[in-house]
C-alpha cells in the first residue's frame, strides 16, 4: 500500500476518542462522494481492487456486517467473512491465533466486532493488517458514530451548537461513547438522558467542556434538534437496572405526543430497535425518524473508512 493518508493521522480505526473534527469531516466528505456511486446504475468502483479484507464477527450483527460486506464489494475488494460460530473458536482457538492464522493467508485489512472492549486494539499488536473496529463491547462503535453524524449533516449541515440528546442505556452503549466523541469534536451541545442506573458516574466529564445530564425526558427534548435513542442492551446488563420495559417506555420512550410537541425534532436510533420500548412503534415509522437514512449512509461511510485507511489514492 502507498503512504497516501488523505489527512487521516491514524493507521487503524479503533475509536473516535482521538479523531479530530478535520478527520471526521474528511470521512464525511469521502462518504458523500461514495453515496453518489451508490446511486449509479452500476454501484461499483475499482478503488480497492487487489485489497483483501476479512470481516471477523464474534458477536451478532445485521446492519454493520452487511454494510461492511457491501462496502467492500462496492469498492471491488476481495472479502472473506468469518463468524465465530462454526469456526475453530468453538474448539478453543484464541483471538490472537485466529487472527494470525488468517493473516498468514495474506490479508490487508481486518474488520472486527467482539464482545470484549479493547479486542481491536489487541489485534493491532498481533497482526500487520489495518484494523477497523465494528463494535467492541461497551467501548466504541466508531463507524456507527461516523454514519450518525453524517446523517445529521443532511438536515443540519453544521453541527456546531446543534442540540443533540442521547437517550437511554448510556452505561452499556458503545454507540453513545463514539457519538459523544464525534459530536463533541464537531461542536454539538450534548445532553445525556436516562435512568440514573444507566448513566455511569463521571460520564459528564468524558469530553472537554463536559456534557449535560438529566433524568427527565421532557428536559432532554426541550429545544433539542436531534434525539438519538439507544437500544436497551438487556444482554449486557447483568442485573435488572430498571423495573420493567413498560415503565422504561413510560419514562424514557419517545412517542407521537413528543413529536407533536416538538415539530422540528429528528429521531435517530442505531438499531436494532425494541419497538414500544425506546420508541413507540408509530415513531419508528414516522417521517422524522431518520433510521433508514442512517442505514443507507452506513454503506457509504464504511466505503470511506476502508478507502481512506487503505492508503489507496484513486477513489473512482
Ligand atoms: N447498529 C448496529 O451496530 O447494528 P448491528 O448490531 O445490527 O450491526
Amino acid at each position: 500500500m502507498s503512504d497516501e493518508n488523505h489527512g487521516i493521522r491514524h493507521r487503524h480505526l479503533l475509536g473516535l476518542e482521538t479523531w479530530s473534527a478535520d478527520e471526521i469531516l474528511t470521512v464525511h466528505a469521502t462518504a458523500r462522494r461514495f453515496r453518489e456511486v451508490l446511486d449509479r446504475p452500476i454501484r461499483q468502483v475499482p478503488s480497492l481492487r487487489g485489497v483483501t479484507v476479512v470481516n471477523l464477527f464474534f458477536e451478532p450483527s445485521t446492519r454493520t456486517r452487511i454494510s461492511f460486506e457491501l462496502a467492500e464489494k462496492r469498492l471491488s475488494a476481495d472479502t472473506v467473512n468469518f463468524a465465530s460460530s462454526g469456526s475453530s473458536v468453538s474448539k478453543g482457538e484464541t483471538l490472537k491465533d485466529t487472527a494470525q492464522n488468517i493473516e498468514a493467508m495474506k490479508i490487508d485489512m481486518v474488520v472486527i466486532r467482539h464482545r470484549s472492549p479493547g479486542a481491536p486494539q489487541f489485534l493491532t499488536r498481533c497482526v500487520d493488517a489495518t484494523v477497523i473496529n465494528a463494535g467492541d463491547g461497551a467501548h466504541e462503535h466508531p463507524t456507527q458514530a461516523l454514519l450518525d453524524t453524517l446523517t445529521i449533516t443532511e438536515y443540519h449541515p453544521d453541527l456546531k451548537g446543534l442540540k443533540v440528546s442521547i437517550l437511554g442505556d448510556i452505561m452499556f452503549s458503545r454507540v453513545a461513547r463514539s457519538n459523544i466523541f464525534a459530536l463533541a469534536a464537531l461542536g454539538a451541545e450534548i445532553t445525556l438522558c436516562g435512568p440514573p442506573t444507566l448513566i455511569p458516574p463521571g460520564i459528564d466529564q468524558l469530553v472537554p467542556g463536559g456534557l449535560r445530564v438529566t433524568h427527565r425526558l421532557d428536559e432532554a427534548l426541550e429545544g433539542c434538534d436531534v434525539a438519538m435513542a439507544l437500544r436497551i442492551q438487556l444482554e449486557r446488563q447483568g442485573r435488572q437496572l430498571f423495573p420493567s420495559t413498560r415503565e422504561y417506555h413510560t419514562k424514557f420512550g419517545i412517542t407521537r405526543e413528543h413529536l407533536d410537541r416538538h415539530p422540528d425534532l429528528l429521531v435517530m436510533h442505531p438499531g436494532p430497535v425494541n419497538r414500544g420500548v425506546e420508541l413507540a412503534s408509530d415513531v419508528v415509522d414516522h417521517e422524522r425518524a431518520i433510521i433508514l437514512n442512517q442505514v443507507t449512509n452506513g454503506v457509504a461511510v464504511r466505503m470511506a473508512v476502508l478507502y481512506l485507511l487503505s492508503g489507496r489514492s484513486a477513489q473512482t
Side-chain angles (χ1 to χ4, degrees):
M1 290 188 195
S2 77
D3 291 332
E4 184 69 50
N5 64 10
H6 309 273
I8 304 285
R9 293 171 300 129
H10 303 268
R11 193 170 156 237
H12 309 282
L13 176 55
L14 305 177
L16 293 179
E17 188 168 5
T18 57
W19 281 53
S20 67
D22 282 348
E23 290 173 311
I24 293 168
L25 294 174
T26 297
V27 175
H28 287 177
T30 309
R32 282 188 199 100
R33 293 204 293 276
F34 282 130
R35 266 301 296 255
E36 289 169 23
V37 172
L38 297 177
D39 291 333
R40 292 178 191 167
I42 296 178
R43 297 184 287 266
Q44 195 167 35
V45 288
S47 313
L48 292 197
R49 185 164 289 158
V51 173
T52 303
V53 187
V54 177
N55 302 308
L56 290 181
F57 277 73
F58 293 87
E59 252 195 357
S61 169
T62 298
R63 280 145 290 270
T64 312
R65 186 175 56 77
I66 291 175
S67 65
F68 265 113
E69 284 179 38
L70 270 178
E72 291 149 13
K73 289 185 198 315
R74 303 292 186 229
L75 293 168
S76 307
D78 297 317
T79 66
V80 182
N81 296 314
F82 168 97
S84 51
S85 59
S87 76
S88 290
V89 169
S90 55
K91 300 177 199 160
E93 190 165 37
T94 63
L95 172 59
K96 178 178 177 175
D97 286 336
T98 301
Q100 286 183 335
N101 276 271
I102 290 172
E103 189 172 52
M105 300 179 212
K106 306 293 177 198
I107 55 144
D108 302 297
M109 307 181 89
V110 179
V111 175
I112 177 169
R113 167 168 289 194
H114 201 282
R115 67 180 175 284
S116 300
Q121 171 92 48
F122 171 75
L123 212 55
T124 63
R125 299 199 292 271
C126 308
V127 299
D128 289 331
T130 296
V131 176
I132 299 173
N133 181 1
D136 61 331
H139 176 227
E140 282 224 40
H141 192 351
T143 56
Q144 180 70 45
L146 290 167
L147 75 88
D148 288 341
T149 48
L150 173 68
T151 304
I152 294 173
T153 65
E154 290 178 356
Y155 303 86
H156 298 282
D158 187 356
L159 271 65
K160 201 163 178 46
L162 199 74
K163 293 185 170 47
V164 181
S165 291
I166 304 179
L167 312 175
D169 187 350
I170 313 290
M171 175 84 85
F172 295 96
S173 176
R174 53 196 177 206
V175 175
R177 286 177 58 85
S178 288
N179 264 300
I180 288 169
F181 294 130
L183 288 164
L186 298 173
E189 291 178 22
I190 306 165
T191 297
L192 306 180
C193 175
T197 47
L198 289 179
I199 302 206
I203 189 95
D204 56 322
Q205 296 304 315
L206 190 63
V207 289
L211 309 164
R212 188 169 76 117
V213 173
T214 173
H215 305 300
R216 289 176 46 95
L217 182 60
D218 284 346
E219 274 182 23
L221 296 184
E222 196 57 49
C224 173
D225 299 298
V226 179
M228 202 178 268
L230 301 171
R231 185 172 69 87
I232 290 295
Q233 308 201 42
L234 294 172
E235 78 279 13
R236 285 192 217 285
Q237 297 173 12
R239 60 198 166 92
Q240 185 80 15
L241 292 170
F242 48 86
S244 67
T245 50
R246 182 193 289 256
E247 182 170 326
Y248 178 88
H249 181 67
T250 306
K251 290 201 161 164
F252 298 101
I254 300 183
T255 64
R256 270 305 290 263
E257 288 69 44
H258 292 116
L259 290 183
D260 293 344
R261 219 176 301 149
H262 304 283
D264 297 321
L265 181 70
L266 296 174
V267 176
M268 304 178 77
H269 193 298
V273 178
N274 295 308
R275 280 182 184 251
V277 182
E278 303 101 18
L279 304 176
S281 195
D282 55 358
V283 170
V284 179
D285 301 321
H286 195 276
E287 62 182 8
R288 277 189 279 129
I290 54 177
I291 298 166
L292 294 179
N293 304 30
Q294 293 171 255
V295 176
T296 303
N297 283 330
V299 179
V301 156
R302 285 160 183 140
M303 287 173 80
V305 167
L306 287 159
Y307 167 71
L308 291 168
L309 294 182
S310 74
R312 292 291 178 97
S313 57
Q315 191 175 326
T316 53

